[in-house]
């Protein structure tokens, strides 16, 4: 079965149509690439980051998060709205390609082998679904106006363009069937439904409507494309790659060790926007400004000056503003705005609890914690600027291996009456119970540690503790931006684990759990860490 020859040649003749369409495509593509090219150049010159490991896991993760929209449905109405528009977008990619194909090759016929009937059915069904979703999206932005959303004229324009593309698609089929009642367009049920309604118009009007639908569809599609790289809707291009390159299927916050022995390193952490890796910059361009991160953020809920969404938007806007200067290779430029203490206030950076709730909510897998820690590293290691109360904590971690200044020789005092074995390399137990600073020194933490000991004994688990040999994992120092201190503490612990042949660890502290399980591999120890 051949595709019906649904063509529109009255406004632009068949011979001239490929040239007119070619000019429009050339202009739109040139505009798209003109805005995109500087961003691509920046990606190529900023620090690299290995995000290509585990390609099959990444593909599976991308299919679940990006294509199935798995994280969208935590809010049912908004989730279905976005998912329907996204799925419709995928279906209409083929339809858009068809519109351009028949414009460039108006006389060519293709045999769909019957598949066109099935495609037209799904295509028309999604025209209805996407139209309803876009209307609801307009209603949310103009009437409901949720506080978490960034409301802008740009968002309205995009939704109007989507509606125009949907209506022009349906009208193109309907106009052809109204002009050619004898023509069969199997599966195009929406066009067949609308075509009789057009009979109230004169033939000339129907011809103009048919031609208008074609060119309206083409022009709206091209205009939509030109808007993407220069707006927040660039996430339509970047979101799927961003999900693919994310490490959401792995644990931890992707905080990596700094090689302090590398004499070529001039900066530790981030104090300039160009010091972020390409993946972190891709995050910035991927933000949809949906505000889900803000709703989940405990710092924002408690009144602190931190909005994860605004932090991302401010960094993105700063990146866009600095891009021309970065491409000019002007290292002596001194009149630009400061990133630390300027674009991003110190108080904003220190307000983050690094809990990762924002990352859990983000539907496009933006990573926030590693950027905050990078900025803190810049403040602490490069500018020696941090809250005054950190000074004593850093000193205590360095000298006593806990942030409160308790003597390291009292670390095991909590366990004196509990008859717990101390780890013996020559006669090791199956598990090491890593107590952590909280369980060793804090009064409430000691109760938790005692309860864990009773539970392990009741379960018949063979375990020991390190006693006074145990030290802080260094997590408080790392989260506070003092990577050098973390490196020192983690290196010492890693050597101790290797010396004592520790392989399996139980811990009740979530901070110790994360650090030992997800961050100590870079220090040469592979630990099987279990949370109680």
């Amino acid at each position: 079965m051949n595709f019906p020859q649904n063509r529109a040649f009255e406004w632009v003749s068949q011979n001239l149509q490929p040239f007119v369409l070619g000019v429009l495509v050339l202009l739109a593509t040139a505009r798209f690439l003109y805005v995109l090219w500087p961003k691509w150049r920046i990606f190529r010159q900023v620090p690299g980051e290995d995000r290509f490991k585990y390609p099959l896991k990444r593909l599976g993760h991308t299919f679940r998060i990006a294509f199935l929209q798995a994280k969208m449905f935590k809010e049912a109405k908004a989730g279905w709205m976005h998912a329907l528009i996204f799925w419709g977008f995928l279906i209409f990619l083929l339809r858009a390609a068809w519109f351009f194909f028949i414009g460039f090759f108006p006389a060519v016929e293709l045999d769909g082998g019957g598949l066109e009937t099935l495609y037209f059915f799904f295509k028309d069904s999604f025209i209805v679904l996407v139209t309803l979703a876009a209307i609801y999206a307009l209603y949310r932005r103009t009437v409901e106006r949720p506080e978490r959303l960034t409301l802008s004229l740009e968002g309205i324009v995009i939704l109007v363009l989507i509606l125009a593309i949907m209506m022009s698609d349906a009208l193109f089929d309907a106009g052809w069937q109204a002009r050619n009642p004898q023509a069969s367009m199997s599966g195009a049920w929406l066009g067949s439904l609308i075509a009789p309604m057009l009979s109230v118009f004169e033939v000339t009007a129907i011809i103009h409507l048919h031609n208008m639908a074609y060119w309206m569809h083409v022009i709206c599609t091209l205009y939509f494309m030109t808007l993407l790289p220069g707006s927040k809707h660039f996430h339509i291009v970047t979101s799927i790659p961003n999900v693919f390159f994310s490490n959401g299927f792995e644990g931890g916050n992707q905080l990596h060790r700094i090689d302090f022995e590398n004499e070529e390193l001039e900066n530790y952490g981030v104090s300039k926007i160009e010091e972020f890796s390409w993946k972190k910059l891709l995050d910035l361009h991927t933000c949809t400004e949906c505000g889900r991160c803000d709703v989940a953020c405990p710092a924002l809920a408690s009144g602190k000056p931190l909005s994860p969404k605004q932090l991302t938007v401010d960094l993105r806007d700063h990146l866009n503003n600095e891009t021309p200067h970065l491409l000019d290779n002007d290292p002596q430029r001194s009149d630009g705005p400061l990133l630390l203490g300027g674009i991003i206030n110190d108080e904003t950076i220190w307000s983050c609890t690094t809990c990762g709730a924002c990352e859990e909510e983000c539907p496009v897998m933006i990573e926030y914690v590693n950027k905050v820690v990078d900025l803190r590293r810049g403040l602490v290691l490069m500018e020696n600027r941090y809250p005054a109360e950190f000074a004593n904590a850093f000193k205590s971690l360095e000298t006593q291996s806990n942030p409160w200044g308790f003597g390291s020789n009292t670390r095991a005092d909590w366990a004196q009456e509990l008859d717990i074995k101390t780890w013996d390399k020559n006669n090791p137990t199956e598990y090491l119970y890593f107590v952590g600073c909280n369980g060793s020194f804090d009064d409430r933490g000691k109760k938790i540690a005692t309860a864990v000991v009773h539970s392990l004994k009741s379960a018949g688990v063979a375990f020991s503790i390190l006693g006074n040999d145990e030290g802080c994992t260094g997590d408080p120092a790392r989260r506070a931006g003092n990577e050098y201190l973390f490196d020192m503490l983690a290196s010492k612990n890693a050597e101790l684990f290797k010396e004592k042949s520790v392989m399996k660890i139980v811990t009740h502290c979530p901070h110790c759990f994360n650090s030992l399980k997800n961050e100590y591999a870079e220090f040469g120890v592979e630990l099987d860490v279990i949370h109680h």
Side-chain angles (χ1 to χ4, degrees):
M1 174 180 178
N2 291 330
F3 277 99
Q5 290 293 296
N6 186 356
R7 306 288 191 271
F9 297 136
E10 284 75 18
W11 282 12
V12 180
S13 69
Q14 178 175 343
N15 293 332
L16 192 58
Q17 193 170 90
F19 297 100
V20 174
L21 186 60
V23 170
L24 292 175
V25 170
L26 185 63
L27 290 174
T29 304
R31 162 68 182 173
F32 180 85
L33 294 177
Y34 176 78
V35 180
L36 180 64
W37 182 243
K39 301 179 189 298
W40 175 251
R41 289 179 61 193
I42 291 294
F43 281 142
R44 296 189 64 182
Q45 73 179 40
V46 298
E49 188 174 351
D50 184 8
R51 293 296 183 110
F52 295 90
K53 294 186 296 184
Y54 315 117
L56 294 180
K57 285 186 178 180
R58 292 185 184 280
L59 285 173
H61 183 69
T62 302
F63 179 75
R64 187 177 71 86
I65 298 298
F67 289 96
L68 295 184
Q69 300 278 284
K71 297 183 76 171
M72 279 292 179
F73 299 104
K74 293 181 180 181
E75 294 185 27
K77 290 192 294 185
W80 278 106
M81 174 199 74
H82 191 279
L84 288 173
I85 292 175
F86 174 78
W87 293 331
F89 176 81
L90 297 179
I91 289 174
F92 292 121
L93 284 176
L94 181 59
R95 179 65 164 174
W98 174 250
F99 265 80
F100 287 100
F101 180 84
I102 64 176
F104 283 117
F105 308 101
V108 175
E109 295 184 31
L110 291 179
D111 183 1
L115 292 177
E116 74 278 3
T117 300
L118 183 63
Y119 176 75
F120 270 111
F121 175 79
F122 277 106
K123 185 267 296 182
D124 281 2
S125 299
F126 266 91
I127 286 178
V128 175
L129 293 173
V130 171
T131 298
L132 292 174
I135 291 172
Y136 175 63
L138 279 172
Y139 174 78
R140 287 184 80 230
R141 287 183 169 273
T142 57
V143 180
E144 288 186 348
R145 302 174 67 86
E147 186 177 350
R148 67 175 176 83
L149 278 183
T150 298
L151 303 173
S152 64
L153 179 61
E154 177 189 299
I156 302 296
V157 170
I158 291 293
L159 289 171
V160 170
L161 283 173
I162 291 173
L163 287 172
I165 291 170
M166 295 301 102
M167 290 186 291
S168 61
D169 190 303
L171 188 59
F172 184 62
D173 288 345
W176 178 253
Q177 292 192 55
R179 293 177 62 182
N180 303 275
Q182 75 286 355
S184 173
M185 296 185 68
S186 301
W189 62 267
L190 187 58
S192 300
L193 193 65
I194 298 174
M197 303 178 191
L198 300 181
S199 61
V200 299
F201 298 106
E202 295 181 357
V203 174
T204 302
I206 294 175
I207 291 173
H208 284 303
L209 284 173
H210 182 229
N211 281 262
M212 181 191 72
Y214 176 80
W215 289 105
M216 179 180 174
H217 192 95
V218 166
I219 291 172
C220 285
T221 300
L222 293 175
Y223 182 55
F224 185 92
M225 183 180 79
T226 64
L227 291 178
L228 297 184
S231 71
K232 85 176 185 72
H233 289 89
F234 192 37
H235 75 262
I236 294 173
V237 176
T238 62
S239 59
I240 294 177
N242 198 65
V243 173
F244 178 82
F245 290 119
S246 71
N247 283 333
F249 55 88
E250 295 186 88
N253 300 118
Q254 303 307 309
L255 303 178
H256 296 293
R257 188 179 187 183
I258 295 176
D259 184 3
F260 289 102
E261 296 183 0
N262 183 356
E263 296 181 357
E264 295 182 1
L265 279 181
E266 297 180 356
N267 300 294
Y268 303 122
V270 168
S271 54
K272 298 178 181 178
I273 192 69
E274 64 269 27
E275 292 169 356
F276 279 123
S277 72
W278 65 266
K279 173 57 178 67
K280 295 182 176 73
L281 298 188
L282 184 63
D283 276 346
L284 304 183
H285 286 303
T286 304
C287 180
T288 68
E289 299 183 32
C290 67
R292 285 176 170 85
C293 52
D294 279 1
V295 174
C297 179
L300 183 62
S302 65
K304 290 184 171 60
L306 169 65
S307 158
K309 179 182 75 172
Q310 195 59 48
L311 173 67
T312 302
V313 170
D314 288 344
L315 288 172
R316 182 196 67 201
D317 291 346
H318 179 55
L319 170 63
N320 288 334
N321 292 334
E322 288 297 294
T323 291
H325 305 290
L326 296 176
L327 295 177
D328 285 342
N329 294 319
D330 183 10
Q332 303 302 320
R333 180 172 179 256
S334 59
D335 59 343
L338 295 174
L339 176 59
L340 299 176
I343 300 299
I344 307 298
N345 292 328
D346 288 9
E347 192 176 358
T348 298
I349 298 172
W350 295 118
S351 294
C352 180
T353 67
T354 69
C355 67
C358 48
E359 297 181 1
E360 177 64 25
E361 292 300 316
C362 181
V364 289
M365 300 302 295
I366 291 173
E367 298 162 5
Y368 299 85
V369 173
N370 54 18
K371 295 186 195 67
V372 169
V373 172
D374 274 345
L375 293 170
R376 288 178 177 178
R377 288 171 175 174
L379 283 171
V380 174
L381 301 177
M382 299 302 297
E383 302 194 11
N384 195 32
R385 196 166 83 232
Y386 47 84
E389 54 268 32
F390 280 18
N392 287 334
F394 289 158
K395 182 178 180 180
S396 297
L397 282 166
E398 183 177 358
T399 59
Q400 303 299 332
S401 201
N402 70 81
W404 302 297
F406 294 106
S408 59
N409 60 343
T410 65
R411 193 174 189 96
D413 287 0
W414 68 276
Q416 287 180 352
E417 307 298 326
L418 296 176
D419 188 27
I420 306 174
K421 293 181 180 179
T422 301
W423 186 273
D424 182 358
K425 176 183 177 180
N426 298 317
N427 186 27
T429 53
E430 183 177 5
Y431 290 97
L432 168 70
Y433 174 33
F434 194 92
V435 184
C437 300
N438 179 269
S440 298
F441 298 109
D442 180 77
D443 288 339
R444 289 185 298 176
K446 292 176 185 178
K447 294 179 181 178
I448 296 173
T450 300
V452 171
V453 167
H454 290 320
S455 297
L456 292 174
K457 286 185 175 182
S458 298
V461 177
F463 71 97
S464 309
I465 62 173
L466 289 173
N468 290 337
D469 286 340
E470 182 183 288
C472 180
T473 61
D475 181 75
R478 167 166 268 192
R479 300 282 164 161
N482 195 337
E483 186 68 16
Y484 185 83
L485 180 55
F486 167 76
D487 196 280
M488 182 180 74
L489 294 169
S491 297
K492 182 179 178 181
N493 285 332
E495 288 302 317
L496 182 66
F497 292 149
K498 286 188 281 189
E499 176 190 334
K500 292 184 175 292
S501 302
V502 174
M503 302 293 290
K504 296 182 178 181
I505 292 179
V506 176
T507 182
H508 72 264
C509 173
H511 301 279
C512 296
F513 174 81
N514 174 70
S515 190
L516 294 171
K517 184 177 182 66
N518 298 315
E519 299 174 355
Y520 266 48
E522 290 186 318
F523 293 86
V525 287
E526 294 290 343
L527 302 169
D528 181 8
V529 187
I530 301 172
H531 198 276
H532 82 289

